[in-house]
Amino acid sequence: MSDKRKSPLKTALHGMDERAYKMMAMYLQGPCKGAAVVVEDLKAEIDIIDADSVKAKTLLKQRLTESARPIIALSLQELTFENIFYVKKPVKTSDLLSALSEARAILSVKKKSDNQVNSCTQNAASRQSQNPVTKPESLLSPEKDPVKKQATKTDEQKKTSKHQTAMQLDEGKFNAFIGSVPGLDVNDPKQFPDATYNPKDYFQGYVQSALMVAEAKKQVMRLNSGWKPLIIFPHNHEIWLDADDKQLRAFAGVGMNKISGPGMTLTPEESITASVQESLEKVHDQDAFLWKLAAWTSKGRYPGALDIYRPVFLKHWPNFTRLVVTPHALRISALLMASPRTLPEIAEVLKIKPQHVFVFISSAYALGLIGQAKREADEIVQPSVVKKTEQQSLLSRIIGKLRANKS
């Protein structure tokens, strides 16, 4: 379907004086043929910002932290901001239309993802009404307790603050944030075969196994690792851990074979202690916890279960409102939603470091969002091969008949 048949993108303009504002509104209606229409900020789907204006830096940071809308930045200089579509001045119609098209694609996949999330939420609510929450689980349920409700609200605000901080990390800070493996350059194509890791060798693997057990049994479970106890609440899709992100990041990269002690145990949690009830700030969304745990475990590597030279695809758009947004995560998601790609191809097409691709793939794979496409050669037999095989079979039958006649 052509853009003419699509409803125009609702766009908010920022950092422009009255004259520039009117000219851009006319430009969108004229040369861009109504691909977008200017509306007030509250009704907008995307933002277009004059990145050369005096307040541009403040506007960009504000938009990135307060809104999940796609951003198109107009500038004389090429921008390196993450998750922003750059259009060089003087603006060319083709460049702006291309940016609008990419923004529309992101909105489309996000809408599908939101619909899936809403559907899952409704199904979960239906199941919960049919299967009442167990007593230990209800201790974290705030619906009927105003005090707990306020505590949960405060906790959610803290989670949001962490998420916004993660979104503002530039590549340099993120490299220090994610860590590295001594003696391995994950950005060197020659070392790609060695840039793998097995989640089962780390805390991540045990957490994933524990989550599956808790979900299957629909029971609150405690994972004891000899480090910090981790409690899983399957009905609420949450995890409680008495450790901050810095501690978790350090423990995530330690191989389990290097830890002495009784080893991992998983036991039902019959009762919730007062310390758990009173420390709701230590409760994590299960997906958000597993996403960052996988990122820290990978240290820029990719899961060994994936073939780096076979295309991967994204099953649906990640819920970035709750997840740590790694560098180029939105661009990688948009690319994979369009078509399957190999990991090196993703880095090449987007002109980014393989390290950022590997980290994103590791986190998305941990959540079950990544699938590996089959090779065409595995499913398609070449016509020439089929023809040759048929000829050999026919020849064998003829020779067999001749021998039978002679006898």
Side-chain angles (χ1 to χ4, degrees):
M1 184 182 293
S2 66
D3 287 340
K4 292 180 180 179
R5 292 186 178 183
K6 293 178 180 178
S7 58
L9 287 173
K10 297 176 182 177
T11 307
L13 303 181
H14 305 275
M16 303 179 190
D17 57 27
E18 185 177 356
R19 180 174 176 274
Y21 188 98
K22 289 181 178 179
M23 287 185 66
M24 178 53 65
M26 293 172 62
Y27 192 81
L28 292 172
Q29 289 297 308
C32 292
K33 299 180 180 179
V37 61
V38 178
V39 298
E40 58 186 79
D41 186 65
L42 293 177
K43 297 180 180 180
E45 298 172 296
I46 68 170
D47 295 301
I48 296 181
I49 298 177
D50 183 351
D52 296 330
S53 63
V54 178
K55 299 181 180 180
K57 190 174 182 180
T58 302
L59 283 170
L60 287 169
K61 287 185 177 181
Q62 181 183 10
R63 290 290 89 191
L64 285 171
T65 56
E66 296 180 1
S67 173
R69 299 191 307 225
I71 299 172
I72 297 175
L74 314 177
S75 177
L76 293 167
Q77 304 295 327
E78 184 172 355
L79 301 178
T80 57
F81 281 94
E82 168 65 8
N83 305 328
I84 292 179
F85 300 110
Y86 162 69
V87 175
K88 186 178 181 179
K89 291 181 181 177
V91 176
K92 295 180 180 179
T93 303
S94 58
D95 292 344
L96 185 54
L97 284 175
S98 177
L100 289 170
S101 179
E102 292 187 69
R104 187 186 291 277
I106 286 182
L107 290 173
S108 177
V109 291
K110 287 178 69 176
K111 184 177 180 180
K112 291 179 181 178
S113 176
D114 290 342
N115 290 338
Q116 291 174 347
V117 171
N118 291 336
S119 176
C120 292
T121 303
Q122 291 172 359
N123 292 337
S126 176
R127 290 195 300 268
Q128 191 169 2
S129 64
Q130 296 173 7
N131 302 297
V133 179
T134 59
K135 185 177 180 180
E137 194 80 19
S138 65
L139 291 173
L140 288 184
S141 179
E143 286 82 358
K144 297 182 180 181
D145 191 330
V147 176
K148 291 178 183 176
K149 187 173 183 179
Q150 180 60 39
T152 303
K153 182 178 180 181
T154 302
D155 184 47
E156 287 299 322
Q157 291 173 343
K158 291 179 180 179
K159 291 178 185 178
T160 301
S161 176
K162 289 181 181 179
H163 167 65
Q164 290 176 350
T165 301
M167 288 188 67
Q168 293 177 42
L169 288 172
D170 59 28
E171 290 191 12
K173 292 179 181 178
F174 186 81
N175 290 340
F177 177 76
I178 204 65
S180 60
V181 178
L184 176 66
D185 182 2
V186 296
N187 295 312
D188 180 4
K190 294 181 180 179
Q191 299 187 48
F192 283 173
D194 299 323
T196 65
Y197 81 104
N198 186 349
K200 294 181 180 179
D201 294 338
Y202 299 89
F203 186 50
Q204 176 191 339
Y206 291 90
V207 171
Q208 287 183 266
S209 297
L211 289 172
M212 288 191 289
V213 173
E215 178 62 29
K217 294 186 175 183
K218 300 296 181 185
Q219 187 174 7
V220 180
M221 305 292 289
R222 173 188 286 261
L223 177 64
N224 298 295
S225 61
W227 173 54
K228 302 275 188 179
L230 182 144
I231 302 176
I232 303 167
F233 299 91
H235 294 86
N236 289 350
H237 208 63
E238 291 180 334
I239 288 173
W240 184 91
L241 178 67
D242 186 15
D244 58 28
D245 281 357
K246 185 177 181 180
Q247 293 171 314
L248 177 62
R249 184 165 64 247
F251 188 67
V254 179
M256 291 295 99
N257 60 347
K258 296 182 180 179
I259 297 178
S260 59
M264 294 281 182
T265 61
L266 184 64
T267 56
E269 186 74 1
E270 301 297 340
S271 61
I272 306 301
T273 63
S275 61
V276 174
Q277 299 179 48
E278 295 171 0
S279 55
L280 294 179
E281 74 280 358
K282 296 173 183 176
V283 176
H284 305 260
D285 173 81
Q286 179 178 305
D287 286 348
F289 180 87
L290 190 55
W291 177 279
K292 64 184 179 183
L293 177 61
W296 289 327
T297 306
S298 78
K299 291 185 179 294
R301 299 169 293 177
Y302 61 92
L306 295 175
D307 184 342
I308 192 173
Y309 299 113
R310 283 173 55 197
V312 297
F313 60 90
L314 193 61
K315 297 177 182 179
H316 64 78
W317 190 267
N319 183 11
F320 286 119
T321 58
R322 285 187 174 272
L323 307 176
V324 173
V325 182
T326 57
H328 310 288
L330 297 180
R331 297 176 64 205
I332 296 172
S333 297
L335 185 66
L336 288 180
M337 290 299 294
S339 64
R341 301 270 186 170
T342 67
L343 273 57
E345 282 177 346
I346 297 171
E348 184 179 354
V349 171
L350 298 179
K351 307 296 183 188
I352 61 178
K353 293 180 180 179
Q355 173 192 27
H356 298 130
V357 177
F358 297 163
V359 168
F360 172 85
I361 293 296
S362 297
S363 294
Y365 186 73
L367 267 58
L369 301 182
I370 294 294
Q372 186 126 53
K374 294 182 179 180
R375 293 175 298 184
E376 291 183 4
D378 294 336
E379 299 181 345
I380 301 175
V381 180
Q382 296 298 328
S384 59
V385 175
V386 174
K387 186 175 181 180
K388 185 175 181 181
T389 303
E390 289 177 347
Q391 289 174 344
Q392 290 175 340
S393 177
L394 179 60
L395 184 60
S396 297
R397 290 198 300 270
I398 293 173
I399 293 174
K401 287 182 179 180
L402 290 173
R403 288 176 177 174
N405 292 334
K406 287 181 179 181
S407 61

